[in-house]
């Protein structure tokens, strides 16, 4: 898992490159989840995917909190997989 720092006022895009994990398949669906869910916490503003990568735009967050942002994908052969990043919110 990767750790990123984020200012609570920033709206930042993050990307996951799935190429190394696909073994001839491609991404056909993608969903993002942020935990913990809380008032004022990090929110998913937008998300997108292509055959080999996914992206998410994150906003908000409570200063001092650590969030786990998880991307769950469905591959063209029906398999499902997920990867997570950690985002710590700090005034920057």
């Amino acid at each position: 898992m990767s750790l990123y720092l984020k200012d609570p006022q920033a709206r930042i895009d993050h990307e996951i490159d799935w190429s190394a994990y696909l073994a001839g398949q491609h991404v056909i669906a993608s969903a993002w989840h942020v935990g913990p869910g809380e008032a004022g916490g990090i929110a998913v503003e937008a998300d997108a995917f292509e055959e080999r990568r996914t992206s998410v735009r994150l906003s908000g967050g409570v200063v001092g909190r650590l969030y786990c942002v998880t991307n769950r994908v469905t591959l063209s052969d029906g398999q499902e997989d997920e990867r997570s990043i950690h985002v710590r919110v700090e005034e920057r």
Side-chain angles (χ1 to χ4, degrees), residues 3-92:
L3 175 66
Y4 297 93
L5 297 178
K6 180 192 173 306
D7 185 278
Q9 303 306 315
R11 296 171 56 220
I12 302 292
D13 291 342
H14 294 279
E15 180 179 285
I16 296 178
D17 183 347
W18 289 89
S19 299
Y21 311 105
L22 294 177
Q25 303 303 313
H26 59 273
V27 176
I28 62 168
S30 171
W32 292 85
H33 173 76
V34 178
E38 62 184 344
I42 285 182
V44 172
E45 270 194 13
D47 64 286
F49 70 91
E50 299 172 0
E51 287 188 358
R52 291 177 166 60
R53 71 182 96 170
T54 57
S55 62
V56 65
R57 177 168 294 153
L58 302 175
S59 64
V62 177
V63 173
R65 296 296 300 245
L66 180 67
Y67 297 88
C68 182
V69 181
T70 302
N71 180 214
R72 184 169 190 79
V73 296
T74 302
L75 304 179
S76 54
D77 67 354
Q79 294 185 79
E80 295 180 350
D81 199 357
E82 65 181 39
R83 297 285 181 272
S84 298
I85 61 173
H86 286 124
V87 179
R88 181 170 178 82
V89 178
E90 295 182 3
E91 291 288 346
R92 297 184 68 184

